Amino acid sequence: MISYNEKNAKNKLPSRIMVVEDEAIVSLDIQGRLKSLGYDVAGIATSGEQALKLIEETSPDLILMDIMLEGDMDGIDTAAKIKKYHSIPIIYLTAYADNDTLKRAKITEPFGYIIKPFEDRELNLTIEMALYKHHAESTLNDNRRWLKTTFDSIDDAVITTDHRGRIKSMNKAACLLMESDIDNMFGRDFQEAVDIFESATMESIKIFSQNDSVLGDVVLKSPQGTIPVSVNISGISEKNDVVGKVVVLRDISELKKSEDALKKSLSQLRRTFDETVVSLTAMSEKRDPYTSGHQQRVAELACRIAVKMRLSAEEINCIRIAGILHDVGKISIPAEILSKPTRLTNLEMNLMKTHSEAGYEILKGISFPWPVADIVIQHHERIDGTGYPNGLSGDNILREARIIAVADVVEAMSSHRPYRAALGLPRAMAEIARGRGTAYDPEAVDACTQLIEEDNFSFETRTEI
């Protein structure tokens, strides 16, 4: 796998990492590791104040921030100030994983956490993940700005009237469209001055007999000829009385050209989106090779359950993406725990349970068209409130998360794990049947049962949704 750092080294210098660490030995160790991994060390700071000053001088690509720092500001305080004035991804280095610290840290929206002590591979993977996510967010933000500029450049003709339909004002686009100016149009009856007709019958439309409405298939007769337009009519009310109207005329021929350009842009955004999802999944599964393919199989079963439940195509697509990404937070869990061949201790299990919150932190900044981050953080919640991390219950859990929860249990019990052999589908089905209506959504359980027992679904013979 080519790292983000290696991929971009062809076009620019290696990524520059700033280290904020007040323990000299640890700082030197991190510097050595970064250099051996092919990164440049942009600077070293031992306090928050020094870090803020150094950022102005070095402009690093990423910051490794120890939470516990000497001075008046700890790492979290420092990260908050950096976030306010700079767009630099921050990864926390910490030996502490208590809830209070994590809650404070979440507010600063870090790009990752590394629990000390850590391995080179963990450091490299977390940095690459943060750099990639930051790059993806920057690209999406650039595309948003481009789209906004495109929309803003579409000049609609706007005409306002009083309650009797007399023209009071026109914008520049309206003047250009009508090849006139406000001095000539002011006070004229809108119906007489602006000729709007049905495109099919060419019958005149009485605009002021229309309530607030949108007319999409009409034409405007102007000095330029017949122009297809859409018309948006809105009343101006004052004390429940209509005191005027705003009429917006949009040249549909230009809009169609813009729509074609937007379709191409949206197609590119869709490709970027799909590539981002695939990359996020691949990175998380490299941390947990024993469950490789688990997220895809869960997504497959969850989508099939959603089809049985007659959810819409959009809802099913949402479940597919959330299912593929539901365990992405495991990238924050030490590899030794993920691959441990024996059952986890209570401490290890509590750390493992943070993966849904870590997944939320990774995904919440990405502008998905669905609540993917919320689904990911809720996929271990249970109907009776016994799940984690927030003990949600009933309808407070998103339906998509309830469906993924059922699919997750069935797939996990049916597959091999480092600490046990596969338990098989019968045991998995018995588990969800036992928890139907208490731990698990009854409709999702019934749909899953029908899939496996009546439709003979199996992970070996699954088909793409």
Side-chain angles (χ1 to χ4, degrees):
M1 175 182 174
I2 298 175
S3 72
Y4 181 88
N5 192 48
E6 292 169 338
K7 182 179 178 182
N8 286 275
K10 298 177 182 178
N11 303 316
K12 64 178 184 178
L13 294 174
S15 299
R16 303 172 67 253
I17 314 295
M18 175 189 287
V19 179
V20 185
E21 169 63 63
D22 59 0
E23 293 184 24
I25 295 177
V26 176
S27 178
L28 286 172
D29 177 59
I30 293 172
Q31 293 176 60
R33 294 188 189 207
L34 290 173
K35 291 177 181 178
S36 69
L37 292 170
Y39 301 105
D40 282 347
V41 178
I44 305 297
T46 59
S47 68
E49 293 81 358
Q50 185 182 4
L52 293 173
K53 182 179 179 181
L54 197 57
I55 286 172
E56 301 292 342
E57 299 172 358
T58 61
S59 299
D61 298 315
L62 181 140
I63 299 172
L64 294 175
M65 177 80 69
D66 188 5
I67 288 183
M68 305 303 293
L69 293 174
E70 63 183 28
D72 296 331
M73 295 190 299
D74 65 5
I76 297 174
D77 295 329
T78 305
K81 289 201 171 185
I82 293 172
K83 182 175 181 293
K84 184 176 181 180
Y85 299 106
H86 304 278
S87 178
I88 303 174
I90 295 174
I91 296 173
Y92 283 127
L93 305 173
T94 180
Y96 303 89
D98 59 280
N99 288 334
D100 290 339
T101 300
L102 288 175
K103 285 179 181 178
R104 286 187 61 222
K106 286 178 189 177
I107 298 173
T108 62
E109 300 180 350
F111 280 68
Y113 299 86
I114 302 179
I115 306 297
K116 299 177 183 177
F118 49 85
E119 298 177 350
D120 286 356
R121 185 172 179 277
E122 181 182 2
L123 177 64
N124 184 36
L125 192 58
T126 306
I127 290 175
E128 290 298 315
M129 184 73 179
L131 289 171
Y132 185 90
K133 179 174 180 284
H134 185 255
H135 173 73
E137 288 182 354
S138 297
T139 300
L140 288 172
N141 287 333
D142 287 342
N143 281 326
R144 289 194 197 100
R145 285 191 289 270
W146 186 87
L147 288 172
K148 185 177 185 301
T149 301
T150 301
F151 281 120
D152 290 342
S153 69
I154 300 174
D155 296 326
D156 296 332
V158 180
I159 303 173
T160 64
T161 73
D162 62 18
H163 67 285
R164 291 181 292 179
R166 294 178 178 177
I167 295 174
K168 295 185 65 177
S169 66
M170 299 167 55
N171 68 348
K172 183 179 178 180
C175 293
L176 291 173
L177 188 65
M178 302 302 299
E179 292 190 358
S180 185
D181 56 40
I182 187 59
D183 292 335
N184 291 326
M185 300 292 285
F186 184 81
R188 293 182 60 183
D189 182 84
F190 180 92
Q191 200 67 51
E192 295 177 0
V194 184
D195 295 328
I196 298 177
F197 298 84
E198 290 277 2
S199 61
T201 64
M202 292 304 292
E203 293 182 0
S204 179
I205 298 175
K206 302 299 182 184
I207 293 294
F208 282 84
S209 66
Q210 306 279 339
N211 294 321
D212 290 3
S213 59
V214 177
L215 307 177
D217 191 18
V218 298
V219 294
L220 169 71
K221 285 186 178 179
S222 77
Q224 304 173 39
T226 301
I227 302 172
V229 295
S230 67
V231 183
N232 190 313
I233 307 162
S234 302
I236 304 172
S237 299
E238 183 178 302
K239 296 180 179 179
N240 297 323
D241 293 327
V242 176
V243 297
K245 290 196 175 182
V246 178
V247 181
V248 180
L249 306 175
R250 176 174 294 179
D251 185 338
I252 294 177
S253 59
E254 290 300 319
L255 179 60
K256 287 180 178 179
K257 294 178 182 179
S258 296
E259 285 177 346
D260 290 339
L262 287 174
K263 285 177 182 178
K264 292 179 181 178
S265 177
L266 289 172
S267 177
Q268 178 60 44
L269 284 174
R270 173 66 68 180
R271 286 194 294 272
T272 301
F273 169 78
D274 289 340
E275 290 167 0
T276 300
V277 170
V278 170
S279 297
L280 287 171
T281 304
M283 286 183 179
S284 65
E285 289 193 341
K286 283 191 177 295
R287 299 269 293 135
D288 190 9
Y290 294 97
T291 57
S292 179
H294 165 72
Q295 296 183 96
Q296 288 83 354
R297 291 191 293 272
V298 169
E300 166 74 17
L301 178 55
C303 286
R304 295 289 296 273
I305 291 171
V307 171
K308 280 288 182 186
M309 294 171 63
R310 300 184 183 277
L311 271 62
S312 69
E314 191 70 10
E315 290 171 314
I316 293 170
N317 200 26
C318 167
I319 288 172
R320 179 179 69 86
I321 297 301
I324 290 173
L325 295 172
H326 76 278
D327 274 348
V328 71
K330 286 186 177 178
I331 196 171
S332 67
I333 306 301
E336 313 84 69
I337 294 179
L338 294 174
S339 59
K340 186 177 179 180
T342 58
R343 291 198 174 275
L344 302 180
T345 65
N346 288 338
L347 181 61
E348 290 168 335
M349 180 57 71
N350 287 334
L351 183 59
M352 178 69 82
K353 286 182 177 181
T354 65
H355 79 274
S356 56
E357 294 172 284
Y360 175 81
E361 292 300 321
I362 291 170
L363 300 173
K364 71 176 183 180
I366 300 177
S367 298
F368 293 103
W370 318 283
V372 172
D374 292 325
I375 296 169
V376 167
I377 198 174
Q378 292 179 13
H379 79 275
H380 278 295
E381 300 287 0
R382 296 295 180 255
I383 299 297
D384 56 5
T386 59
Y388 63 85
N390 297 313
L392 301 180
S393 62
D395 291 339
N396 291 322
I397 307 170
L398 293 171
R399 179 166 60 172
E400 296 87 346
R402 302 199 300 265
I403 292 172
I404 290 174
V406 170
D408 191 27
V409 168
V410 172
E411 199 288 329
M413 293 184 67
S414 303
S415 301
H416 293 284
R417 288 294 183 266
Y419 55 86
R420 63 155 171 80
L423 300 176
L425 271 175
R427 289 275 297 276
M429 299 310 297
E431 164 60 21
I432 63 172
R434 179 192 61 78
R436 181 187 183 278
T438 54
Y440 310 116
D441 182 89
E443 189 177 359
V445 169
D446 292 344
C448 183
T449 301
Q450 185 179 356
L451 268 175
I452 293 174
E453 296 183 356
E454 298 179 19
D455 297 352
N456 297 318
F457 172 88
S458 71
F459 292 108
E460 289 73 23
T461 60
R462 66 187 188 276
T463 57
E464 295 296 328
I465 291 295

